[in-house]
Amino acid sequence: MSDGPVSAAPARPRIALALGSGGAKGLAHIGAIEALEAAGFAIVAVAGSSMGALVGGIHAAGRLDVYRDWATSLAKMDVLRLVDWTLSGPGLIKGERIIGALRELVGEVDIEQLAIPFTAVATDIERQREVWISSGPLFEAIRASIAIPTLFHPQILNGRRLVDGGLLNPVPVTPLLRERFDYLVVVSVDGPAEAAPAPPEVPPRGPYRQKIAALVEQLLGRGAAPAVPREPGWMELMGQALDLMQANLAHLRLAAYRPDLLIEIPRNACAIYEFYRAEEMIALGRERAERALATWRVEPVPPP
């Protein structure tokens, strides 16, 4: 006896996902991706600038859960150990140590081998134009896209000197327009600033750790007493300048290419270098994505 025809499961709505640049704030992309997939959307293409390229590329490689677990395990000193400072060359950080750690964590892979189309956006500093990297070794593309000028050494790729993609395209929608999808979704970490929450309680440190922490805080411009107005450190000031530039560029880009859904992370959610706040940023990305999804009226997807 036949049970009758079996109805096919409804197709998951397909989204093309643009992940914006923004340093440690870009860890929020992990939570946003998790929320989108939990809501039943299939991510069929990803483009990213800077930290968006890093998270997007690792997601396309199918290793985002591994990266998330590693990132949330990093304390402040662990992050500092990943920084290979140098006093020579066109940047303060070589960038080889962090990329080496990611290669070991994720594995070496070419972009053409990824499960979904992926584009990393970088900037050709000499020709003054953006570059879309959609082929070749994944981590060479990511290394080029995250190379903040003066902070990281540029990446030489195919004879071009490449730096951070966020300089020209902090929310890379345009590379996705060549893909097939139902909805275009953007995660921007240049959203309106919000009141900062109270800082968490910090357990007392031993004398040695106090000295190291004091040195780091002095470098970052955080060493002054709370009652005395302080000058920002060079890295903090650079982060503020990048945030200002990228927020204005992102506003112009999104006005020209309006996404179906915009998920915004406050631009003052954390500083550019605070990668030890991964768990907090991931939770924020998940919460903001869920909030945006709750108010989004999704049109029915026509059958193929």
Side-chain angles (χ1 to χ4, degrees), residues 1-303:
M1 180 177 178
S2 173
D3 293 329
V6 178
S7 58
R12 297 170 66 196
R14 302 169 302 167
I15 61 172
L17 184 62
L19 301 176
S21 60
K25 291 176 295 180
L27 290 162
H29 293 319
I30 299 172
I33 289 171
E34 291 175 346
L36 288 165
E37 293 192 324
F41 292 94
I43 300 171
V44 297
V46 180
S49 280
S50 198
M51 192 62 186
L54 191 154
V55 173
I58 293 175
H59 171 69
R63 302 284 285 174
L64 191 60
D65 55 341
V66 175
Y67 174 69
R68 178 198 60 216
D69 293 344
W70 177 76
T72 54
S73 73
L74 296 177
K76 187 180 296 187
M77 293 304 297
D78 297 320
V79 173
L80 288 173
R81 290 189 191 100
L82 290 169
V83 178
D84 43 5
W85 299 101
T86 177
L87 297 178
S88 62
L92 294 172
I93 300 172
K94 294 179 182 178
E96 296 171 2
R97 192 173 296 168
I98 178 60
I99 291 298
L102 293 174
R103 278 195 176 104
E104 185 175 340
L105 191 71
V106 175
E108 189 63 83
V109 62
D110 287 343
I111 295 174
E112 298 93 325
Q113 298 172 317
L114 300 178
I116 58 177
F118 168 71
T119 303
V121 176
T123 300
D124 185 328
I125 195 68
E126 293 171 348
R127 295 177 175 84
Q128 301 178 17
R129 63 184 65 174
E130 67 180 85
V131 176
W132 299 354
I133 309 173
S134 302
S135 62
L138 173 63
F139 284 107
E140 286 190 11
I142 290 173
R143 174 64 181 81
S145 190
I146 67 171
I148 300 172
T150 73
L151 187 59
F152 282 92
H153 283 200
Q155 174 79 350
I156 307 300
L157 193 60
N158 299 326
R160 296 176 294 190
R161 192 177 305 274
L162 303 182
V163 297
D164 195 299
L167 291 181
L168 293 179
N169 197 347
V171 280
V173 170
T174 40
L176 296 169
L177 300 180
R178 57 189 175 177
E179 306 294 345
R180 298 185 62 183
F181 54 86
D182 300 314
Y183 303 108
L184 177 63
V185 177
V186 169
V187 184
S188 170
V189 295
D190 293 307
E194 297 182 2
E201 291 292 329
V202 179
R205 306 182 179 100
Y208 176 73
R209 290 178 61 84
Q210 284 179 346
K211 290 180 181 179
I212 295 294
L215 176 62
V216 172
E217 287 168 358
Q218 184 178 6
L219 276 172
L220 302 179
R222 294 183 162 190
V228 180
R230 64 172 180 82
E231 292 293 325
W234 67 268
M235 191 178 291
E236 187 177 359
L237 185 61
M238 182 184 67
Q240 291 172 351
L242 284 172
D243 283 347
L244 176 62
M245 177 193 72
Q246 291 182 358
N248 281 279
L249 272 175
H251 178 76
L252 292 172
R253 289 277 181 166
L254 293 174
Y257 301 98
R258 296 183 64 86
D260 296 296
L261 178 67
L262 173 62
I263 300 167
E264 291 188 297
I265 309 300
R267 62 177 176 267
N268 64 334
C270 76
I272 188 173
Y273 51 83
E274 292 181 321
F275 287 94
Y276 48 86
R277 295 174 62 185
E279 192 165 357
E280 178 187 346
M281 289 300 103
I282 293 169
L284 178 62
R286 187 183 300 112
E287 184 269 328
R288 293 308 165 95
E290 290 172 348
R291 183 190 299 186
L293 286 165
T295 59
W296 182 32
R297 292 186 178 181
V298 182
E299 296 295 329
V301 177

